[in-house]
Amino acid sequence: MSGERVSLTIDGRAVQVPPGTLVLDAARQAGVEIPVFCSHDQLDPVAVCRICLVEVEGSRKLVPACSERVREGMVVRTDTPQVAEARKSVLEFLLINHPLDCPVCDKGGECDLQDLTYQYGPALSRLADAKMRKPKAVDLGPFIVLDEERCILCRRCTRFDHQVAQERTLVVGQRAHEALITTAEGVPYASVFSGNTIELCPVGALTSKFYRFRARPWDLVRVDEICHGCPVGCHIQLHFRANVEGARLERVVSRPFEPIDDGWLCDRGRFNYGFVQSPERIAQPLVRPLGAPRGTLVPTSWEEAFRRVVGRLQEVLATQGPQGVGFIGGGRLTNEEAYLLQRLARQVVGTENVDHRVAGEAAASLDVAPGRITDLDRAAVILVVGAHPGQSAPVVDLRIRRAAARQGALLLTLGPVDPELRVPHQFLPAAPGHLADRLEALAQSLAGGGEGVPPRVAQELHEREGLLVALWDGREAAAGRALAAFLQTWQAQGREARLLVVGDQANSRGAEAAGLRPDLLPGYRLAADPEARRQAGLAPEPAAPGLSTQAMLEHAVAGRLGFLYLVGANLVETFPDRALATAALESEAFVVVQDLFLTETARLADVVLPAAPFTARAGHLTNLEGRVQATGPRSTDPAAGLPVEAWTDGQIFEHLGEALQGRPLVAGAGELATALAAAGLGSGTFAGALPVALLHEASDGSPTPSGSGEGLVAAPLPTIHGGGGTSRFDRAYGERRPLAAVVYLNPEDAQRWGVVPGDRVGLEAGDGVVEAEVQVTRRVMAGVLGVPRGVPGLAWNRLTGAGRVRVRGRLLEEVG
Amino acid sequence: MLKELVIGLETTLKNFFRPKVTIAYPEEKKPRSERFRGRHELRRYANGLEMCIGCELCQVACPANAITVQAAENDPANPRSPGERYAYEWRVDLLRCIFCGFCEEACPTGALRLTQEFELADVTRQSLVWGREKLVSDQRTDIPVPEAVYPEFRGHQPLAVIQPGAQGRGEA
Ligand code: SF4
Ligand code: SF4
Ligand code: SF4
Ligand code: SF4
Ligand code: FES
């Protein structure tokens, strides 16, 4: 930051700051502390609390430092008796109606009002009247309790809701003494970012329902972590209460890191932590007794479970060879664990059948114009292809909202269903399987042609100078290629372009870079490249080309794959073709599942190995922009209080490797770190990306219904609070965000099939009928059925796996 | 020699007629000062509600780490204490306690009091970890609930809903 500087003195200390700086920030730079309540780095100043009043020479009255900009030669004083008196008076006023119930307040001990009152405030109140009574414990939304009495009306919460989330649900109601925080129209404050207001609130007015009365700040042991909720990789801190039996995870708070999260978290990341200590965790290894039908599992010891796994693996290797063995999953592992898994598969077992893709996506990155999350801040155009950032990368969505609403970026969305973006944007409908066509048309429009592109969009795209950031969900290989071509066309016109790919799971990108793909070795080296194979210590030629997830499942059904190892992969729930996944699990193949919970997939396994949650492991994760981040020290498995004997995924791989080959998988942590650095996954670096040439349809598990015919094409929609594991088995969290089995229809289709919003309908899929409630919205293009993923009771992948879906009238008439 | 004998007897006789200081413990107990610090007690308000609000201040004040407090939300229909919060677990390890009285001093509601009781000997460790069931007094005091401090509240969530599995583990 070069350029002009403004000089001023604060309490006699000279500082030089860029013009436009707030006096508050200049004071910070000078090392002068000015107390604040309403001011916050990420929010526009409002200067409503007045605690930051300072004296400025030449000004008749005290001025608020949080909204006053610096001027050349300004002389600011914070250490005068007037300022001290002002602070004291402001605090006395704030405390007039404050209940001072610090002993029962969750914020007590980390409360700005408490701290500043001790530091600057009066010891006594002179007001003779009783304090005002306002509602306590108001149910503000699914996760938040509001205590109106404690609120000091700093408006940080409402400003966050307006300025950052762009939602405008929280408002200040009433006037003067009666003023209180409430929601517009009495709707619950159900934003996916609601939890941020808890941290923003300088007092204990907004508190978390989960953390309510669970601990005091001094009880907590704090561990820095990376959120495992989605591929954004926000920085979080885990707070354990260790001074009770077992170490209990009590809350998750943010750890501001501007390049990714700006200090914000989504409610999934903040509140979906109870699963780590859920009583439903698998407590010990389970096996299917010999001869028992699938679905029967009995507890056993780790030795016995490993004996079964190793014994059966050796049998299959002897009869079917390495091609008869397949490993699926890994998008939830750390980079280290993903590397160990691919090493176990390739080096020890000798198979190329490894794939981390469990949800039919084609890629988790793409080697064109690699972007960073912060690129969104200076984007002139944002193009969202297929992705639903609000659901699958929420904190990135905040940046998109900001760019579109406050920086005037042109926001385009392209896909079968318009993502729920809270800011003005233009939706370009594209049927499932035809995203590529739409993207090609867009590319042509850059050159002046382009059929079917709305003229206004074409013109804007033509005229906008500057950066284009595309966000793709990694589905449909053809769309990826077309998007790459579009970005290249944009770049060829001398404009900047960037691409972000939103992976399906938290560490999809790390798993991809670590070689958990049948066609790739670690570091994006081709599995067919003899030189790369030699360096990885593999035979120059693979015994057989590796199989993708889909192909492995097909081979298992056909009896050619006798051993299937699933790592944190609930295929029945996540794979787009439920029939195929179920058939493979029910086939003759020996199925090993490594998971935290007895999911519908784990129930069908032959051996279930209980894995430990993310808190029990150390390593690195790779976020959607490729940033390799340390996941913090291995803290604890909070289920320690429960009788759970879980191993981390990495420990399981290492044990299996040793049991199979008689020596460790890697010689030590040093070798592992070197191998990962060689794969481009060194700590603190940015990972490589998938070459466009490797985007094949064959690896793309999403079946595209062909032919026109009658019926709708199902388009899966990610669901932030959904999923088949961590959210479903987190009872408290699930209860607060109940997920409804709802499908979305375009009004035209609703009319054609004779349904009205709220109807329960039967959806005829290939293998029977799926029931759901219908909602009608223009967000869904005609001919498409929007089906949320990961909602209990809605088997979305029976609809996507089944060609066209027919709507079979109403099932039940709603009476009354 | 005779002289010594006489001096000795004199002492004996003098003491024989002095008032006795030995107490026939346990039949008889030595009087304790008003500020004597014996085992803990958690008191009740005049209306029977517990005075303890589960604030954990005694826990953090304790230099011996003897106290464990875990709080939960009162059920407004059937509250244990006035206001929103009560201690569902309150436990002191009397083997660790040094009877310093810091906890009593930290307590903002006056719930906690160190009583005159000092006969705490026992033969196991566990029996000297006292929980709520022994510590919460069954007597009411004549202290009225400070109504101005504890208003009505709503929005109750039972403990089991907030963290399933927590209740069984923590209850002492
Ligand atoms: S609820 Fe908290 S953040 Fe919101 S206005 Fe009141 S004190 Fe400020
Ligand atoms: S956006 Fe993703 S990484 Fe960030 S808090 Fe939410 S789930 Fe976690
Ligand atoms: S008397 Fe002292 S040592 Fe004993 S519990 Fe109270 S604070 Fe702790
Ligand atoms: S005894 Fe007193 S200090 Fe201890 S938790 Fe109860 S109210 Fe708080
Ligand atoms: S911090 Fe300046 S007025 Fe509130």
Side-chain angles (χ1 to χ4, degrees), chain A residues 401-652:
Chain A
R401 293 179 192 191
R402 179 165 70 196
R406 307 189 74 180
Q407 280 139 27
L410 171 69
L411 180 53
L412 301 174
T413 64
L414 189 147
V417 181
D418 187 15
E420 249 177 306
L421 291 161
R422 302 286 181 136
V423 284
H425 60 281
Q426 170 83 40
F427 173 43
L428 307 169
H434 297 279
L435 267 61
D437 308 345
R438 218 49 220 277
L439 283 163
E440 275 156 23
L442 266 191
Q444 282 158 18
S445 83
L446 291 183
E451 256 174 62
V453 179
R456 200 181 65 82
V457 173
Q459 193 193 347
E460 286 261 24
L461 281 180
H462 213 261
E463 285 171 0
R464 291 253 175 175
E465 283 304 322
L467 175 64
L468 178 139
V469 181
L471 218 79
W472 177 45
D473 65 351
R475 293 168 181 276
E476 292 191 19
R481 285 193 301 266
L483 181 58
F486 170 78
L487 294 175
Q488 276 150 2
T489 319
W490 181 274
Q491 284 170 324
Q493 297 177 339
R495 296 184 283 185
E496 260 188 295
R498 293 279 186 276
L499 173 65
L500 292 168
V501 183
V502 184
D504 190 72
Q505 290 181 310
N507 198 29
S508 290
R509 181 144 187 193
E512 188 181 80
L516 286 182
R517 257 179 82 111
D519 47 1
L520 280 181
L521 297 180
Y524 292 101
R525 308 195 63 179
L526 297 186
D529 173 5
E531 177 55 23
R533 295 186 69 84
R534 199 186 51 73
Q535 284 173 13
L538 299 167
E541 282 287 308
L547 304 174
S548 68
T549 301
Q550 165 135 5
M552 279 187 249
L553 297 178
E554 282 161 359
H555 278 224
V557 174
R560 276 177 284 151
L561 190 119
F563 187 97
L564 199 52
Y565 196 108
L566 308 179
V567 183
N570 182 3
L571 286 179
V572 176
E573 175 58 45
T574 62
F575 194 69
D577 187 345
R578 194 184 195 103
L580 175 61
T582 317
L585 291 168
E586 284 171 349
S587 71
E588 287 301 299
F590 185 83
V591 180
V592 182
V593 168
Q594 192 168 312
D595 213 324
L596 263 76
F597 298 103
L598 209 53
T599 59
E600 42 279 73
T601 306
R603 268 188 226 119
L604 297 176
D606 292 87
V607 176
V608 181
L609 303 175
F614 69 95
T615 55
R617 64 191 186 194
H620 291 82
L621 291 184
T622 312
N623 82 345
L624 61 85
E625 51 179 353
R627 191 187 293 269
V628 181
Q629 314 194 85
T631 60
R634 177 178 163 23
S635 35
T636 176
D637 181 350
L642 302 169
V644 166
E645 289 175 48
W647 290 25
T648 66
D649 297 282
Q651 285 169 331
I652 299 176

Side-chain angles (χ1 to χ4, degrees), chain A residues 227-234 236 264-266 268-270 393-396:
Chain A
C227 178
H228 283 55
C230 84
V232 177
C234 299
I236 57 172
W264 311 128
L265 299 180
C266 73
R268 172 93 193 227
R270 188 184 294 272
V395 166
V396 166

